[in-house]
Amino acid sequence: MSNTYNISDLAAEFDITTRTIRFYEEKGLLKPERNGNNRIYSPADRVALKLILRGKRLGFTLEESRDIITMYHPGQNNADQLHSLISKIREKRGQLEQQLHDLEVMMLDLESSEEKCLLALAELAPTS
């Protein structure tokens, strides 16, 4: 089993484009070695990419993902990283709960407005 990956390997594994991987590299989130024009990604790069994509699904910004990833130190107590991650998760959950509440209020407002419009149309309809 290989301990390194090329850009095509990672793109296929995570079902993303090579352009996406190069974007994360440009942002300093991935730091592959080079062999001429070929990028050689380490297992750490692979894990970082996996965490970036997970962070994206959770609604984290790239900066938030970077902060959490850079806190990780293999073989050490990573309690600070985990506390930070829990804090971010709770923050995102709170934001989503607020958005859900806002959407529920909007739905009620839309229903009320629709009902008023339907009543107004019914009053305008000619009676026979």
Side-chain angles (χ1 to χ4, degrees):
M1 184 159 178
S2 174
N3 287 333
T4 61
Y5 309 87
N6 66 40
I7 196 167
S8 298
D9 294 336
L10 293 178
E13 179 179 353
F14 294 107
D15 195 27
I16 57 175
T17 64
T18 56
R19 184 169 188 236
T20 298
I21 295 172
R22 287 191 297 272
F23 173 78
Y24 295 140
E25 184 182 339
E26 289 169 17
K27 296 296 182 185
L29 294 164
L30 302 174
K31 296 176 177 92
E33 293 183 22
R34 297 284 188 148
N35 183 4
N37 285 334
N38 297 321
R39 293 168 169 85
I40 302 170
Y41 295 90
S42 68
D45 289 319
R46 182 186 168 279
V47 169
L49 180 57
K50 186 175 184 177
L51 293 174
I52 292 163
L53 297 172
R54 181 177 297 151
K56 183 178 175 184
R57 282 193 314 272
L58 293 174
F60 294 168
T61 65
L62 285 180
E63 190 62 38
E64 289 170 328
S65 290
R66 177 195 328 267
D67 291 345
I68 291 167
I69 291 167
T70 58
M71 293 178 77
Y72 178 72
H73 302 289
Q76 296 181 15
N77 177 337
N78 288 292
D80 289 343
Q81 180 201 34
L82 294 172
H83 285 296
S84 179
L85 182 55
I86 289 167
S87 175
K88 287 291 175 197
I89 288 170
R90 288 177 178 165
E91 180 182 326
K92 293 298 175 188
R93 183 182 295 124
Q95 290 171 355
L96 288 173
E97 287 170 349
Q98 182 60 53
Q99 288 176 343
L100 183 58
H101 172 74
D102 294 346
L103 287 171
E104 289 168 347
V105 169
M106 268 178 101
M107 290 296 291
L108 291 173
D109 287 346
L110 287 169
E111 287 174 21
S112 174
S113 295
E114 182 182 28
E115 285 176 17
K116 289 176 184 175
C117 289
L118 290 170
L119 285 173
L121 280 174
E123 290 174 5
L124 294 175
T127 56
S128 23

